[in-house]
Amino acid sequence: MLEGSLLAGLSFGSSDVAAVHCLAEALGGLYDTPHGVANAVFLPYVLKFNTQEEKPIHASLARIMRFAAESDNDEAAIDKMIAGIREFTAKLEIPKLKDLPGVRREDFPRIVELAVQNNSTPSNIRPIGAGDYLHILEQAYDDVI
């Protein structure tokens, strides 16, 4: 864990954390949800949003992570990555957004506000705004990709 934490910290020196962390930080700040859990909750939904653009980059990532084969086309590779991450988080027993203590739909506007204000929002690979964050929250809450 220490080595993983070090490598992640070093990586932040040359990149930023983007939308998934913006939502995770907002959730953690409002509900005291552990940051890693919050990131795992949102990752498949933010990936789905982001993969609508820059498909070759995301497909390459899916292959590097071994969710997809080299022979898979980009769409298939992306779908396999998102499915694989969902399967992995289920095995880890990561709760769904609606199952986290205290999380309510009525709080979505505040979560969106905090996410939009986060300094990492502009670094997301795909431009993201308040309406996009709200849509991602709704998908995560309803567990619909």
Side-chain angles (χ1 to χ4, degrees):
M1 291 298 289
L2 286 173
E3 184 178 2
S5 178
L6 171 67
L7 293 172
L10 291 171
S11 297
F12 294 157
S14 61
S15 64
D16 197 8
V17 294
V20 71
H21 280 265
C22 297
L23 285 167
E25 289 171 5
L27 195 71
L30 291 175
Y31 303 105
D32 201 30
T33 304
H35 189 59
V37 170
N39 276 288
V41 165
F42 289 122
L43 184 59
Y45 305 96
V46 173
L47 269 174
K48 182 67 176 181
F49 172 81
N50 283 337
T51 58
Q52 301 309 303
E53 293 185 14
E54 306 293 344
K55 290 181 189 273
I57 291 171
H58 288 95
S60 179
L61 179 62
R63 293 180 189 103
I64 289 167
M65 295 173 72
R66 301 196 191 279
F67 285 117
E70 290 297 324
S71 59
D72 288 328
N73 68 40
D74 288 357
E75 291 286 338
I78 288 167
D79 289 345
K80 287 180 178 182
M81 177 176 60
I82 293 168
I85 288 171
R86 285 173 55 92
E87 181 180 322
F88 182 63
T89 57
K91 284 181 184 176
L92 293 174
E93 298 181 4
I94 299 296
K96 303 296 181 189
L97 180 60
K98 66 182 175 190
D99 297 327
L100 290 172
V103 176
R104 304 171 309 148
R105 280 187 192 274
E106 298 83 44
D107 297 333
F108 285 6
R110 181 68 178 136
I111 297 170
V112 167
E113 178 184 3
L114 291 169
V116 168
Q117 291 173 359
N118 192 297
N119 290 336
S120 294
T121 287
S123 70
N124 198 58
I125 193 166
R126 179 180 176 194
I128 187 167
D132 302 314
Y133 276 126
L134 180 59
H135 183 70
I136 290 167
L137 278 167
E138 290 169 346
Q139 285 184 314
Y141 196 85
D142 294 334
D143 193 27
V144 175
I145 286 199

